[in-house]
């Protein structure tokens, strides 16, 4: 007689593992889809509640409300059409997915040269000293500059990749949890490479980190016609 599966305890909830063989079969078919299917309904509800609270915090943030009233920017121009729920195309995304500690809204100029991001950073993105962990900042910069670069090349489906990423940490990023501001800007554009910059701050003038990135357009192969 085999021992029954042990409960897993995370974030105040408990469940029992399903049949391991079935899970592995699903993972072989589509690791991302099967992983999201295994998230218990109670956990989904809890996480979606946290995301809703984070969205409310962004809308209540003073600097974001003031910024949205300024002319020249289109709100959520980059993120429209994408969802961070458990069934969307970015469901398993490390930065944007529903399991991520980040919730965000953005606004950009019509020429895609400047985007402003309001990012709610939840508690599990902190380090041991109560500030936003450096890797979390780098991940945000990577995601946002990559999305920014793809928009310049024609949209989120454009064949672009991040060629390099550099981050400088200038001051402890706080509060956490809290709403922070990230600005991404186009520095230069040539036939294949985009150079972008990013700045993380509190929205009130204090800067916590800066970053630069090169976004490269990848050449796609056109299949040879069958004769």
């Amino acid at each position: 007689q085999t021992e029954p599966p042990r409960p897993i305890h995370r974030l105040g909830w408990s469940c029992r593992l399903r049949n391991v063989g079935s899970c592995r079969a699903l993972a072989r078919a589509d690791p991302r889809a099967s992983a999201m299917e295994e998230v218990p309904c109670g956990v989904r509800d809890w996480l979606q509640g946290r995301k809703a609270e984070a969205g409310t915090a962004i809308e209540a943030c003073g600097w974001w409300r003031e910024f949205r009233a300024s002319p020249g920017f289109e709100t959520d121009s980059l993120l429209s059409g994408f969802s961070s729920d458990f069934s969307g195309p970015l469901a398993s995304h490390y930065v944007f997915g529903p399991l991520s500690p980040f919730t965000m809204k953005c606004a950009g100029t019509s020429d895609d040269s400047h985007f402003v991001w309001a990012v709610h950073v939840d508690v599990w993105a902190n380090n041991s000293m109560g500030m936003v962990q450096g890797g979390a900042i780098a991940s945000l910069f990577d995601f946002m500059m990559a999305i920014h670069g793809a928009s310049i090349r024609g949209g989120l489906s454009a064949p672009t990749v991040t060629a390099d990423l550099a981050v400088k940490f200038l001051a402890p990023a706080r509060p956490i949890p809290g709403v922070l501001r990230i600005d991404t800007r186009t520095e230069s554009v040539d036939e294949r490479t985009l150079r972008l910059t990013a700045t993380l701050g509190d929205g009130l003038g204090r800067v916590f980190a800066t970053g630069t990135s090169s976004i490269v357009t990848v050449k796609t192969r056109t299949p040879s016609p069958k004769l």
Side-chain angles (χ1 to χ4, degrees), residues 96-121:
F96 193 71
L99 300 179
S100 164
F102 312 116
T103 303
M104 62 192 70
K105 295 181 180 292
C106 75
T109 56
S110 59
D111 62 355
D112 290 344
S113 63
H114 181 195
F115 287 90
V116 176
W117 307 73
V119 186
H120 183 275
V121 183

Side-chain angles (χ1 to χ4, degrees), residues 13-208:
W13 57 272
S14 65
C15 68
R16 290 187 177 274
L17 288 173
R18 298 181 184 179
N19 182 275
V20 174
S22 299
C23 292
R24 288 174 178 168
L26 282 170
R28 284 194 296 270
D30 187 342
R32 294 175 300 175
S34 63
M36 300 311 291
E37 289 173 0
E38 288 299 301
V39 178
C41 292
V43 179
R44 294 188 185 200
D45 292 342
W46 183 82
L47 288 168
Q48 288 169 346
R50 295 285 292 193
K51 290 286 186 180
E53 292 174 2
T56 300
I58 292 174
E59 292 301 329
C61 180
W63 72 260
W64 177 246
R65 291 202 312 268
E66 182 178 344
F67 169 77
R68 285 197 310 168
S70 61
F73 284 82
E74 180 184 349
T75 304
D76 284 342
S77 54
L78 278 186
L79 302 179
S80 60
F82 280 81
S83 171
S84 62
D85 62 25
F86 284 85
S87 59
L90 298 179
S92 59
H93 196 281
Y94 179 69
V95 173
F96 193 71
L99 300 179
S100 164
F102 312 116
T103 303
M104 62 192 70
K105 295 181 180 292
C106 75
T109 56
S110 59
D111 62 355
D112 290 344
S113 63
H114 181 195
F115 287 90
V116 176
W117 307 73
V119 186
H120 183 275
V121 183
D122 218 328
V123 290
W124 49 88
N126 81 97
N127 63 12
S128 60
M129 295 180 284
M131 64 189 74
V132 184
Q133 198 263 349
I137 294 172
S139 295
L140 286 168
F141 280 177
D142 182 25
F143 173 76
M144 292 172 179
M145 286 191 278
I147 295 290
H148 185 155
S151 72
I152 295 174
R153 294 303 193 196
L156 299 183
S157 60
T160 57
V161 296
T162 300
D164 60 62
L165 175 71
V167 181
K168 292 183 178 180
F169 303 107
L170 307 177
R174 297 187 179 101
I176 183 170
V179 179
L180 301 178
R181 171 172 174 161
I182 292 180
D183 288 71
T184 58
R185 292 181 172 87
T186 306
E187 186 175 75
S188 64
V189 179
D190 62 29
E191 183 178 353
R192 190 177 176 214
T193 305
L194 304 169
R195 289 292 296 172
L196 303 174
T197 63
T199 303
L200 169 68
D202 62 0
L204 303 174
R206 188 176 185 189
V207 176
F208 302 131

